[in-house]
Amino acid sequence: KTEMIFPLIEACLQQGGRALIATPRRDVVLELDPRLRKAFPGTTVVTLYGGSTQRWEYGELTIATTHQLFRFRHAFDLVVIDELDAFPYHNDPMLQYAAGHVCKPGGTTVLLSATPPAQLRRAA
């Protein structure tokens, strides 16, 4: 799933935009960090999770747990919510509220899941 969003991220960055990849789990954030830094050399990457050292840095590409989304409002041109069916994001209206407010007006939000919930499949 990760590599298939690379063209979206690249297009966003080439247009001078900011991109966010959010996932519910810290271990996934830590796994994505080196992969995205390697795929997008020269891009300022900020990694946010509980206890991260980059708490107040500004980046072109941000990788974060969904809990970190409360820090932002209309901050990103591209928002990718990964593993939207995973705990704790799934069935947490506050996290879903936060995710709904991080994208700039006119920006793009992409929802990723290998196993999307039935409600989302019906909506699609």
Side-chain angles (χ1 to χ4, degrees), residues 9-59:
I9 297 167
E10 185 175 357
C12 177
L13 297 174
Q14 285 179 348
Q15 295 173 8
R18 291 179 69 201
L20 166 72
I21 294 95
T23 185
R25 298 188 349 249
R26 176 184 177 183
D27 62 314
V28 176
V29 169
L30 294 172
E31 178 216 323
L32 289 175
D33 179 77
R35 290 170 61 193
L36 290 167
R37 287 179 191 274
K38 182 178 179 183
F40 299 98
T43 300
T44 306
V45 178
V46 174
T47 305
L48 300 174
Y49 55 88
S52 66
T53 58
Q54 293 186 295
R55 289 183 204 153
W56 307 112
E57 294 183 32
Y58 181 90

Side-chain angles (χ1 to χ4, degrees), residues 11 49 82 101 117 124:
Y49 55 88
D82 191 15
H101 288 84

Side-chain angles (χ1 to χ4, degrees), residues 79-84 89 109-113 120:
V79 173
V80 178
I81 306 293
D82 191 15
E83 298 188 9
L84 64 103
Y89 183 81
T109 298
V110 176
L111 304 175
L112 288 181
S113 174
L120 189 59

Side-chain angles (χ1 to χ4, degrees), residues 18 20 46-57 62-76 98-99 101-102:
R18 291 179 69 201
L20 166 72
V46 174
T47 305
L48 300 174
Y49 55 88
S52 66
T53 58
Q54 293 186 295
R55 289 183 204 153
W56 307 112
E57 294 183 32
T62 299
I63 311 160
T65 59
T66 51
H67 281 88
Q68 298 298 315
L69 302 185
F70 288 104
R71 297 171 172 258
F72 303 100
R73 182 162 178 83
H74 301 156
F76 300 96
H101 288 84
V102 296

